[in-house]
Amino acid sequence: MKVQLEHPADEIKRLQRCINDLVSLLTLPAMWSGNKPCDIVQTLLDSLLRMLDLDFVYVSLTNLVDAAASETVRVPQSQEQMFRPRELCTFLNRWLGDDPQKRYLQERSHLGDEEVSLVSWPLGVQREIGVIVAGSRRADFPRDTEALLLSIAANQALIGLQEARLLSEQKRVADELDQSVAQRTAELAAANEVLRMEVAERRRAEEALKRSEAFLAEAQRLSLTGSFSWRIDTDEITFSEQLYRIFDLDPDAPVTLEQIGSRVHPEDISLLSEKMDLARRSINDHDYEIRLRMPDGRVKYLRTKSYGIRHKDGRLEHIGAIQDVTEHRLAEEALSKLRTELTHMARVTTLGALTASIAHEVNQPLSGIVTNASTCLRMLTLDPPNVEGARETARRTIRDGNRASDVITRLRALFSKTDTIAEQVDLNDATREVIALSLSELQGNRVILRSELADDLPLITGDRVQLQQVILNLLRNGSDSMNTVHDRPRELLIRTERDEDDRALLSVKDAGIGFDPQSTDKLFQAFYTTKNDGMGIGLSVSRSIIEHHDGRLWATLNDGPGATFSFSIPCRSNT
Amino acid sequence: MGSYQEKIAGEFPLVAVVDDDESVRESLPDLLREFGFATHSFSSAEEFLTSDRLVQTGCLILDIAMPGMTGLDLQRELKLRGHSIPIIFISAQKDEVVRRRAFQQGAVEFLFKPFSDTALLQALNTALRVR
């Protein structure tokens, strides 16, 4: 425990020390710059303990941002047994009281068994920062220099703490600012993300739309179907890409009724205007076919399906699809043509089939005749002859003969009933068709067919089918006549020419067995035949057909093997 | 001729004729009787199949083209039922395909109408020898 000395040298020393302490106190704020309040308090207390001969020193801070250490007490190590920090705090709190008006206090007080001198120094005019309390058991505490140091230290601490407070406040504001900036940034980022998603969504929707439009365009292209809309009030017409292609119009220019009209086939214009008039009046559905005539002359068949819609504002609009069905239509036409040709061919070959059925019809009664006649003969050769039986069989023979005759009558009736068509016939064309028809049959019989068709053949008037039946019959006869020929080529030559009287002449020359010159006249009689399985119908019918055309059918024997059958027809036949 | 007739008539009592054509059904039996055969005519294959004369039939003269069962059908049917009756086909249609088929199925002879009496007699002789 130091005792104040009256000695001037000691006094000087004391004052020098005080000055030193003052200087070091004045340097404190430089140390504190940027420090936290608790750090400031620590160094302040350490300095006071070191400078003044204290038993304890206490700081209470109020209203600080960094409120972690609001009370701090420091006791020198040697006094720690005597002054416990917790008890000191409680004691000093009570001693200080709550009155902030008590700016400066100094008194001796009892702390437990000890009597101590207490000095308090406000931090801030009304302790708004806090308060410092220094305590010592010395009775002379605080001496003048100690009070000075204490007040300077308190002021310095006040400045430091205010700076720290300011700094802390600045930092808080900056933090708040940072935080609000961060929050705003986050909000902006979130909004941005939403926007980005919306943009992406829109882009996806646009792409989907584009894709769906591309699909539609592709479907229209593949199905050759275009679509249109037509506003009745303004005559505004919209075409799809494919419809522009179908109409072969410039896709960059708007479509007009005039342009459409210029493409429509002249024969279908009235149909179109009728349909359009209907469309102007009502919302009925339409389904019709119309033709276009393109600038290059091509004809397109278009199937149109449309319907009208009445908008809420009363406007009428027609919407529809147009399919190019040209290929379909052409295929249908080709099929129909083919069907006609097939029917025609069937008619040409009818004579052959007819001959076969006639053979059956005639052979039946013929068989009866032969059998009856044989029986009759046998009955008459008996001894005695069975005259009654013979008479009966003879009667049956006559009856069967009549039946055969009936068949012929029916046959004639059949042919005369056939409608004769008078048309211009190119015999060369007719011949080519028959050749095509019988080629495989001729090849099957190993027949080599040559044709020499004249270029200058006159057209004749007549029934093409009947004439073709004759040609076919001649070809078959020629082929049949060579069935038994094995020592020479089975050659068949079909020729057409214009004869000296300007008639169209057709001849079929074979290399077959020919015929007996004596029976030339019989060749064209019904049921005369040189063939094993022939009926003798074909040539007979053929001759009547040719004569019906004011022509002539005849046969000649070749110089070499075989025969030639020819017919000629005047080019002006009056059938 | 007399002894031939007796011989045929005794051993082979019946030659059946199946044809839808009436003139054949009238004329052929007369000729067959002149030859010395007993005979019976049927207008259809079905009629012959249901007849009790079937078992007595020693030879069948059969038409090809008939409404309903054809000659070839009857030939197959008889074979299926185990009747080995020799068959002489007669046809008004000169169809070689049918003729070949008939022979493949075991026909004795195939005559195209009209046929001569000698051709028929020859065929009958062959048929009955086969038997």
Side-chain angles (χ1 to χ4, degrees), chain A residues 395-411:
Chain A
R395 244 197 305 276
R396 284 194 199 134
T397 308
I398 294 165
R399 194 201 56 195
D400 284 344
N402 287 335
R403 281 176 62 192
S405 161
D406 287 347
V407 173
I408 311 298
T409 311
R410 284 212 303 279
L411 177 67

Side-chain angles (χ1 to χ4, degrees), chain A residues 356-357 359-360 363-368 370-372 374-375 378-379 382 386 393 396 399-400 403 532-533, chain B residues 1 19-24 26-28 30-31 34-35 63 65 92-94 113-118 121:
Chain A
S357 91
H360 187 258
N363 277 334
Q364 293 285 25
L366 232 60
S367 179
V370 172
T371 308
N372 283 321
S374 305
T375 313
R378 282 178 182 272
M379 286 172 167
L382 286 177
N386 177 359
T393 50
R396 284 194 199 134
R399 194 201 56 195
D400 284 344
R403 281 176 62 192
N532 286 333
D533 56 350
Chain B
M1 184 71 90
D19 198 316
D20 64 317
D21 188 71
E22 201 192 349
S23 66
V24 173
E26 278 177 2
S27 59
L28 205 50
D30 279 356
L31 185 60
E34 279 309 303
F35 286 156
D63 186 29
Q93 206 90 52
K94 292 205 163 93
K113 295 177 189 175
F115 44 84
S116 68
D117 53 350
T118 47
L121 191 56

